[in-house]
Amino acid sequence: MLIWVVTEQVTTHFKKFTKTNFNMKKWLTVVSIIIFIQLLFFVFHNNVLLPSPLEVIVALIVQLRQGTILIDVAMSLERVAIGFLLAALIAIPLGILSGYNRRLNNIVKPFVELLRPIPPIAWIPIAILLFGIGDGASYFIVFLGAFFPIFTNAYFGAISMPVIYRNVAQSFEIKKSDFIAKILFYFSLPYIFTGLKIGIGMAWMSLIAAELIGAQSGLGYFIQLNRLLLRIDNVVVGMIFIGVIGLILTKSLTILERKIMPWITNQNA
Amino acid sequence: MLKLNNINFGYEQKKYLHSLILKDFNLNITEGELLSLVGPSGCGKTTLVNIISGYLKPISGNVVVNGKIVEFPGKDRIVINQEDDLFNWMTVMGNMKIISEDNLLIEKYLDLTNLSNYVNYYPSQLSGGMKKRLSLARALLADAKFIIMDEPFASLDHKTKDKLQEEVLKIIKESGKTVLLVTHNVDEAIFMSDKILFISGKPIEVMRELQIPFSYPRNINIKESKEFNVLKNDIKNEIRNY
């Protein structure tokens, strides 16, 4: 209640003072909760099990100064980028073509339905056997995490297209290749972006899980190492990085979505 | 010339044929004519449109365009639908370019439909009337021999409808296209057509054929004339008896 009242007051005064529409309420809520937790730590003096927010901030500054965590971030980002791009490059055309062509769908769909429920983490032993401990296994796990949501959404986009568009294309004798590339693909694009946004989240989560078990670098490895060293403050720092990067990745896709689909933005406007 | 010869059609339900919507149905549309089919909602008008345009195959009978039997959809018969059939992710220019790359023709038809100033607009940014004009521009660009208009004005408000009917009629008559207008609106059919066929369903049967006495060009104000209203009331009274 107190947090809510303080947040409301600060937001109102901030808007009046700066005369901007920046929505700082949600960020103020996060900051207020962190301050509240810190106050609890001051009152109860128990930091044996968990580090206080202040200790985490100190650990974060130390890590940023040393710069080693940034190398792990870069390694994780590289793995997620390669695995995710591979998944998108295969899942988007395959999903659209499966939605367009019944014969292809009859071949692809059973495999997808069979493999989709298996969590990417369950693939880790297979991935290590196939690719060894290293980047290959990570790419594979990220690929699996991202592939199914992207494929499923692209497929649903393609099968959701109203029959009227197919009729119009037939009447105007639009070539099949043009129909797929200029009509079916663009119609499915909002669905594809939904898949990409879910896929990037899944890819990121799968990667961290893979790095916790079978990697020698990356954010997952950073967390695992610090857990063994009982540096829980650094574990939380790693978790903060995972959350923030996940948020940035999803937001970047939302920005890209608006740029690529101006007709949706105009429609909403 | 477009001809329907002894068309029979009915939808299948669980592999059994439901009652026939079209039974030995015949129709002739001569070149340059604007013929309206007027019938109550649900009598099978859209089914007929789908058969003419090639989206549905009749059980028996055939559709003949300029002496040639047609079985598939094609540029010679373009439908302007009641619902939006524009590609929403393409601009006005994009919607034209996917039909033809001929810039001169595109310019000509966008000009004719008063859309030249909106080439970079998306369909969602256009009014209902503008969307219909773009559909018409597309049909003209495809050089369709026959334009089939399936309740094209149904979703528009009264004022836009009147204005658009006048504009579309002018464009159609200037381009010399043959048009089949399918509607349940008597007012609209009288204003636009050379000839009206009143149909009842099911199966579809032509109840009356009526030649419209008004000459072209037609102004929307004729809807206020005594002659127009007498004709309209006569027809409405007659339809009630079908």
Side-chain angles (χ1 to χ4, degrees):
Chain A
M1 185 67 186
L2 181 71
I3 290 170
W4 183 76
V5 172
V6 172
T7 309
E8 277 293 319
Q9 286 298 316
V10 174
T11 309
T12 314
H13 284 95
F14 177 82
K15 274 187 180 169
K16 269 186 194 168
F17 187 70
T18 60
K19 289 177 182 168
T20 61
N21 278 328
F22 175 70
N23 184 10
M24 66 179 301
K25 197 189 279 181
K26 54 186 175 186
W27 298 111
L28 263 178
T29 311
V30 175
V31 173
S32 308
I33 289 169
I34 292 168
I35 293 170
F36 180 70
I37 296 169
Q38 183 61 47
L39 287 173
L40 288 179
F41 270 89
F42 279 137
V43 174
F44 296 106
H45 298 288
N46 182 3
N47 56 1
V48 177
L49 286 174
L50 289 171
S52 71
L54 210 57
E55 283 169 318
V56 172
I57 291 166
V58 171
L60 177 69
I61 293 165
V62 170
Q63 285 300 329
L64 285 172
R65 273 193 183 161
Q66 286 176 348
T68 47
I69 195 169
L70 296 179
I71 296 167
D72 284 316
V73 167
M75 291 303 296
S76 292
L77 279 176
E78 187 199 312
R79 285 171 189 147
V80 97
I82 291 171
F84 178 74
L85 283 176
L86 271 174
L89 281 173
I90 297 171
I92 294 171
L94 195 63
I96 287 177
L97 290 174
S98 298
Y100 173 71
N101 187 306
R102 195 174 290 176
R103 274 187 204 167
L104 181 67
N105 186 38
N106 287 341
I107 298 167
V108 174
K109 208 67 194 302
F111 284 102
V112 171
E113 290 303 324
L114 194 72
L115 298 176
R116 199 164 56 106
I118 303 171
I121 307 165
W123 285 91
I124 290 174
I126 309 280
I128 292 171
L129 281 174
L130 285 173
F131 303 100
I133 292 177
D135 288 344
S138 302
Y139 299 151
F140 181 68
I141 298 299
V142 170
F143 175 88
L144 287 172
F147 179 85
F148 295 107
I150 302 173
F151 172 87
T152 310
N153 279 277
Y155 170 77
F156 275 111
I159 61 166
S160 307
M161 195 177 79
V163 74
I164 196 164
Y165 287 132
R166 205 177 270 248
N167 286 346
V168 169
Q170 283 180 335
S171 287
F172 284 113
E173 297 172 21
I174 293 170
K175 282 187 284 179
K176 267 186 189 174
S177 55
D178 278 349
F179 175 75
I180 293 169
K182 294 178 181 170
I183 296 171
L184 196 57
F185 172 73
Y186 278 93
F187 176 83
S188 309
L189 212 48
Y191 295 84
I192 291 171
F193 264 98
T194 305
L196 289 173
K197 280 190 265 185
I198 300 169
I200 195 85
M202 286 297 293
W204 192 233
M205 283 194 279
S206 310
L207 173 77
I208 301 300
E211 284 177 348
L212 280 169
I213 300 163
Q216 299 298 315
S217 61
L219 275 173
Y221 173 75
F222 175 87
I223 289 174
Q224 179 71 344
L225 184 70
N226 280 290
R227 185 184 73 86
L228 295 171
L229 296 171
L230 295 176
R231 288 296 305 271
I232 307 301
D233 52 347
N234 280 343
V235 170
V236 179
V237 168
M239 288 165 69
I240 290 170
F241 266 93
I242 290 168
V244 171
I245 293 169
L247 183 74
I248 292 169
L249 290 174
T250 313
K251 284 278 172 196
S252 307
L253 276 173
T254 308
I255 293 165
L256 186 69
E257 183 181 17
R258 282 191 202 135
K259 288 252 179 239
I260 288 182
M261 299 192 293
W263 64 93
I264 301 277
T265 320
N266 287 323
Q267 199 171 348
N268 293 339
Chain B
M1 189 167 159
L2 187 135
K3 229 176 154 183
L4 300 189
N5 294 325
N6 300 316
I7 299 278
N8 285 294
F9 182 84
Y11 289 102
E12 273 184 9
Q13 276 186 347
K14 292 178 183 171
K15 291 190 179 173
Y16 291 102
L17 188 66
H18 212 56
S19 59
L20 284 175
I21 295 170
L22 291 156
K23 195 178 173 189
D24 294 325
F25 187 77
N26 293 293
L27 182 72
N28 276 325
I29 310 176
T30 48
E31 211 172 320
E33 187 179 42
L34 203 159
L35 176 78
S36 284
L37 278 181
V38 176
S41 297
C43 74
K45 300 189 294 288
T46 300
T47 302
L48 184 60
V49 167
N50 286 339
I51 288 171
I52 296 172
S53 51
Y55 305 145
L56 288 175
K57 285 201 187 337
I59 296 166
S60 62
N62 49 46
V63 180
V64 180
V65 176
N66 292 339
K68 215 172 132 188
I69 294 174
V70 288
E71 290 179 345
F72 302 102
K75 275 186 180 178
D76 50 356
R77 293 148 289 144
I78 297 294
V79 185
I80 295 176
N81 293 284
Q82 178 183 348
E83 47 189 316
D84 282 347
D85 55 8
L86 300 167
F87 301 125
N88 292 326
W89 50 93
M90 293 180 192
T91 59
V92 168
M93 183 55 88
N95 269 283
M96 296 294 274
K97 282 250 175 189
I98 198 162
I99 313 297
S100 164
E101 289 286 335
D102 190 332
N103 287 328
L104 280 175
L105 277 180
I106 291 175
E107 211 174 298
K108 178 185 165 187
Y109 291 122
L110 286 179
D111 212 32
L112 191 68
T113 49
N114 286 326
L115 289 168
S116 300
N117 294 329
Y118 302 94
V119 285
N120 293 322
Y121 280 54
Y122 287 99
S124 59
Q125 296 171 298
L126 302 177
S127 67
M130 288 159 99
K131 285 182 190 173
K132 292 295 164 210
R133 292 208 304 262
L134 180 55
S135 291
L136 181 60
R138 259 187 349 184
L140 294 172
L141 182 65
D143 197 19
K145 302 268 183 302
F146 294 93
I147 297 175
I148 305 152
M149 302 172 88
D150 186 9
E151 309 258 12
F153 310 108
S155 57
L156 305 172
D157 64 83
H158 187 69
K159 206 176 161 187
T160 314
K161 202 183 275 188
D162 276 356
K163 194 167 172 270
L164 193 65
Q165 281 172 11
E166 198 177 70
E167 285 172 1
V168 168
L169 186 60
K170 190 169 168 269
I171 294 166
I172 286 170
K173 284 297 165 188
E174 273 175 21
S175 62
K177 298 289 177 195
T178 308
V179 175
L180 175 67
L181 172 68
V182 175
T183 180
H184 63 265
N185 189 322
V186 175
D187 205 84
E188 184 176 300
I190 299 172
F191 176 70
M192 295 197 69
S193 319
D194 294 307
K195 192 164 82 180
I196 304 177
L197 297 182
F198 295 94
I199 54 174
S200 70
K202 301 169 179 176
I204 291 181
E205 203 180 327
V206 176
M207 306 304 290
R208 186 186 167 188
E209 195 177 311
L210 178 75
Q211 207 72 35
I212 301 298
F214 306 117
S215 61
Y216 294 102
R218 288 179 194 168
N219 184 292
I220 202 71
N221 292 332
I222 67 163
K223 285 191 180 180
E224 309 298 326
S225 70
K226 193 183 164 191
E227 234 181 324
F228 187 97
N229 283 296
V230 168
L231 187 61
K232 190 169 96 178
N233 290 332
D234 280 354
I235 292 166
K236 279 189 171 172
N237 286 333
E238 197 172 331
I239 286 175
R240 274 190 204 110
N241 301 325
Y242 293 160

